[in-house]
Amino acid sequence: MASYWRKTWPFHLLLLPALVLVIIFAYIPLFGAAIAFEDYQPWLGIKGSPWVGFEHFRTIFEYPDSKQVIINTLIIASLKLVFNLVIPVIFALLLNEVVNTYFKRVVQTLVYLPHFLSWVILGGILIDLLSTEGGIVNRFLNVLGMKSIFFLGDGQWFRFTVIVSDIWKEFGFSAIIFLATLVGIDPSLYEAAEIDGATRWQQVVNITLPLILPIVIVVATLSLGRVLDGGQDQILNLYNPLVYSHGDILDTFVYREGLMSGKFSFGTAVGLFKSAVGFIMILISYRLAYKLANYRIF
Amino acid sequence: MRYRSRSYAVFTVTNTIFLALLGLLCILPLIHVLAVSFSSRAAATANIVNFWPVGFTADAYSNTLGNHDFLRAMWIGVERTVLSTIVSMAVVTMAAYSLSKSSIRFPGRQLYTWIFVFTMLFSGGLIPGYIVVSKLHMIDTMWALILPGAVSVWNMILMLNFFRSLPPELEEAALIDGAGHLRVLWSVYLPVSLPSIATLSLFCMVGSWNSWFDGMIYISKPSGYPLATFLHSMIVSDNLSRVGVSADQVQNFSSRTVKDSQIFIGALPILLVYPFLQKYFVKGIVLGSVKS
């Protein structure tokens, strides 16, 4: 034991700052989540507050608002998951057909950019663009002879806007991993196919698709863990009381009901419910990714 | 000539046009906001600005840059970004050095790795985190914006993989010469890792410049907001007024040109570091996500 420490103390020392921070800001809150089972009163503290068991969790499913919130979350998150997989794959396939490297690089530079801008900036831009009082998108629709659309004030349109703008922000960046795989495909496969008289379409179907399928499966399964992540960052920058009914997701609900209105215990219960479902989904998805595509994180 | 067929030629042309439009679609919104910010107030209110300023003027910018609240928020944002990056990179690099050792040299490595990775998978949630920060009396201090997010496990994994790719002889030679591990990390590993460190630092900077939610919950007075939080509160209040929440509830409502100039200034640092960032992140992403 003594010799173990003599040999490894510098490693422990170097890990110490990170470890202390993680314990304070990740593990202590984990135990602090016990307040989900209490009627937490800030002045009584975690130890002094009365225990109520699973009452808050029952409330989640009885409360009329929370049912709607769970439905919103599932709709928004699952549509995002599907489109944020399909569209980047299609985009990567199309970009891969471009021969001119200069053009390719310019397109890539442009489509990656929105990923690096925050939702605060993009939210501000979208609100300006989509405004019904002369926002450029509605002006364009008017020119085409259509009526203005209340993108951020009508529930259904709000969901549509949230999903489309998320795709717009991320599709380029999500495509990177598929592009990298496509670049790695051995060109002699295509040459051989061409000599055999395969058309470009046949080459895509018989060579490209089978070769990127494993990575598509990995990305698809790993994203399952986010099935309750509707994107709090985005929604908090876009929504307003008019669309709470269609736009509220679990995270924004925790923020508004739990933190803003001071229902600490109920908010924590909702957060814990989300965390637990997410954790189970991540375990399942890692299992699946390992089975289907032999993928391991470490 | 590849794939000589008529239909493929048609496809190539359509595809090129489509991709060019897609690329444009990603920056046109930004260009529109830029055009509005440089237009006269009258032109902006009359909704005649498209992608080129109408009645060019930089008034909105002189207004924004003369606004004390905005400048203070920008300064806090810069301060927060610099401090967060330094703290986070120091902590993460030190930990990554230890975790990059083999399990034989450093038994216990596996346990530590799981302690960190677990925090990526499961969290206590927003409210317990808030209670911890407030119990530590960090509300309304810079520390609340720096420390809770300082350990980026993702960056730690990228750094660890990079350290592992270095030739082991480097370290062995230094150890034989009598250097301790702290010395090896500082004078051998760090100098050769500068490109990686630069990349991860850029990611850190972008992340902390962009983050606004922690400012919203941990800072109670708007005078302590970093720029991203300041912009958020401005945008949301502006949005409220547009959907008909009464105007007198809405403070710091400013004209559209001024608002767009503020949005653009908020995005400017990202637009400036983006070219440097772009060179590296493809490698980083691929390294981090697929390993065979």
Side-chain angles (χ1 to χ4, degrees):
Chain A
M1 201 60 205
S3 87
Y4 171 78
W5 282 107
R6 204 164 47 238
K7 273 193 193 139
T8 60
W9 70 266
F11 300 138
H12 297 281
L13 185 69
L14 287 169
L15 279 164
L16 193 65
L19 199 64
V20 169
L21 286 174
V22 159
I23 288 172
I24 295 176
F25 295 108
Y27 284 93
I28 293 180
L30 217 52
F31 292 107
I35 65 170
F37 304 95
E38 298 183 333
D39 229 343
Y40 178 73
Q41 309 294 342
W43 56 93
L44 294 176
I46 294 180
K47 278 189 207 128
S49 301
W51 291 94
V52 296
F54 282 89
E55 196 188 296
H56 296 297
F57 290 89
R58 257 198 302 279
T59 322
I60 297 180
F61 297 99
E62 284 163 4
Y63 213 54
D65 276 5
S66 46
K67 200 190 271 167
Q68 186 61 43
V69 169
I70 293 176
I71 294 173
N72 292 344
T73 311
L74 283 173
I75 292 179
I76 293 176
S78 52
L79 286 174
K80 277 184 180 177
L81 287 189
V82 173
F83 288 116
N84 278 329
L85 181 72
V86 175
I87 292 177
V89 172
I90 296 176
F91 170 70
L93 289 173
L94 291 178
L95 195 66
N96 193 45
E97 295 300 314
V98 173
V99 185
N100 182 335
T101 37
Y102 183 71
F103 176 73
K104 208 168 172 172
R105 206 166 307 145
V106 171
V107 171
Q108 278 172 299
T109 306
L110 295 179
V111 298
Y112 296 161
L113 180 63
H115 170 81
F116 291 95
L117 296 172
S118 71
W119 274 118
V120 175
I121 301 294
L122 295 180
I125 293 178
L126 284 174
I127 289 167
D128 188 306
L129 240 53
L130 300 175
S131 153
T132 38
E133 301 148 28
I136 193 166
V137 173
N138 275 321
R139 269 193 282 145
F140 182 68
L141 291 177
N142 294 154
V143 170
L144 294 181
M146 289 191 261
K147 269 202 201 138
S148 292
I149 294 172
F150 205 1
F151 285 102
L152 295 170
D154 174 66
Q156 295 296 342
W157 280 109
F158 181 78
R159 275 187 198 154
F160 172 85
T161 311
V162 163
I163 292 162
V164 171
S165 60
D166 187 60
I167 297 167
W168 171 75
K169 184 178 194 280
E170 302 296 344
F171 82 91
F173 201 74
S174 316
I176 288 181
I177 184 143
F178 305 119
L179 282 168
T181 318
L182 291 174
V183 169
I185 295 178
D186 183 358
S188 64
L189 289 173
Y190 294 114
E191 284 159 23
E194 208 168 337
I195 291 167
D196 288 345
T199 63
R200 185 60 191 159
W201 176 249
Q202 286 169 326
Q203 292 174 31
V204 169
V205 172
N206 294 311
I207 301 173
T208 316
L209 284 183
L211 285 174
I212 64 161
L213 193 63
I215 189 76
V216 175
I217 292 173
V218 168
V219 175
T221 46
L222 294 188
S223 65
L224 278 182
R226 295 197 307 270
V227 73
L228 290 186
D229 272 329
Q232 126 171 315
D233 207 359
Q234 177 191 16
I235 289 181
L236 284 182
N237 278 297
L238 290 176
Y239 83 166
N240 53 68
L242 289 184
V243 292
Y244 281 168
S245 64
H246 285 71
D248 227 3
I249 54 168
L250 286 169
D251 288 318
T252 56
F253 188 61
V254 171
Y255 173 60
R256 252 175 346 105
E257 286 290 299
L259 203 57
M260 296 286 96
S261 335
K263 293 180 200 151
F264 283 0
S265 283
F266 178 65
T268 306
V270 177
L272 205 58
F273 165 71
K274 187 196 162 225
S275 239
V277 174
F279 185 62
I280 294 167
M281 294 304 285
I282 287 174
L283 292 186
I284 294 175
S285 65
Y286 277 19
R287 261 266 143 85
L288 277 176
Y290 179 61
K291 275 218 167 122
L292 297 175
N294 205 18
Y295 170 90
R296 261 174 299 177
I297 14 169
F298 296 105
Chain B
M1 194 57 215
R2 305 201 305 172
Y3 334 114
R4 277 158 303 183
S5 84
R6 190 128 183 214
S7 56
Y8 191 73
V10 173
F11 166 78
T12 307
V13 174
T14 338
N15 189 30
T16 309
I17 295 171
F18 176 73
L19 290 174
L21 287 177
L22 211 56
L24 273 182
L25 192 66
C26 288
I27 53 157
L28 279 181
L30 205 61
I31 293 176
H32 174 67
V33 165
L34 187 62
V36 170
S37 71
F38 276 113
S39 298
S40 69
R41 201 183 261 247
T45 333
N47 297 315
I48 50 173
V49 185
N50 291 323
F51 300 107
W52 196 255
V54 177
F56 183 91
T57 163
D59 279 356
Y61 286 88
S62 58
N63 185 323
T64 296
L65 295 174
N67 177 343
H68 274 283
D69 292 338
F70 185 85
L71 289 181
R72 187 181 46 220
M74 191 150 88
W75 170 244
I76 297 173
V78 170
E79 199 181 354
R80 177 245 162 102
T81 302
V82 171
L83 289 173
S84 290
T85 308
I86 294 172
V87 170
S88 177
M89 286 306 293
V91 169
V92 165
T93 312
M94 291 197 297
Y97 176 80
S98 292
L99 295 180
S100 70
K101 302 299 158 206
S102 70
S103 303
I104 302 163
R105 300 258 320 278
F106 178 29
R109 171 188 166 263
Q110 209 75 5
L111 175 69
Y112 279 118
T113 309
W114 275 110
I115 290 177
F116 289 116
V117 170
F118 183 74
T119 64
M120 286 172 110
L121 306 177
F122 201 90
S123 82
L126 173 67
I127 293 166
Y130 173 83
I131 294 175
V132 167
V133 171
S134 76
K135 284 269 159 67
L136 291 171
H137 302 289
M138 296 203 311
I139 299 290
D140 282 331
T141 67
M142 189 57 101
W143 296 115
L145 304 181
I146 297 174
L147 295 180
V151 182
S152 157
V153 181
W154 179 248
N155 286 355
M156 205 187 274
I157 293 173
L158 290 178
M159 202 68 213
L160 174 170
N161 278 328
F162 180 77
F163 282 154
R164 278 199 183 160
S165 69
L166 297 174
E169 290 81 11
L170 265 181
E171 186 196 355
E172 279 159 23
L175 288 176
I176 289 169
D177 287 346
H181 281 287
L182 308 181
R183 186 68 203 257
V184 172
L185 172 60
W186 184 255
S187 351
V188 181
Y189 272 49
L190 287 192
V192 296
S193 317
L194 279 181
S196 289
I197 292 179
T199 315
L200 290 185
S201 302
L202 281 175
F203 276 120
C204 265
M205 281 185 210
V206 172
S208 38
W209 179 257
N210 277 345
S211 82
W212 59 275
F213 187 66
D214 46 2
M216 197 86 218
I217 57 178
Y218 296 140
I219 307 291
S220 57
K221 300 184 298 281
S223 61
Y225 281 173
L227 188 63
T229 313
F230 178 87
L231 287 177
H232 167 81
S233 59
M234 192 191 72
I235 287 163
V236 166
S237 57
D238 188 22
N239 194 21
L240 290 181
S241 77
R242 283 186 193 212
V243 297
V245 174
S246 76
D248 45 297
Q249 285 175 11
V250 177
Q251 284 151 7
N252 59 41
F253 175 73
S254 49
S255 84
R256 187 165 160 217
T257 54
V258 172
K259 199 193 73 157
D260 283 5
S261 74
Q262 297 187 338
I263 288 172
F264 191 75
I265 293 176
L268 199 58
I270 306 291
L271 297 176
L272 292 178
V273 302
Y274 179 61
F276 300 97
L277 201 62
Q278 209 214 348
K279 267 205 294 206
Y280 298 107
F281 62 65
V282 175
K283 237 190 291 169
I285 297 292
V286 176
L287 175 74
S289 26
V290 240
K291 273 176 276 140
S292 43

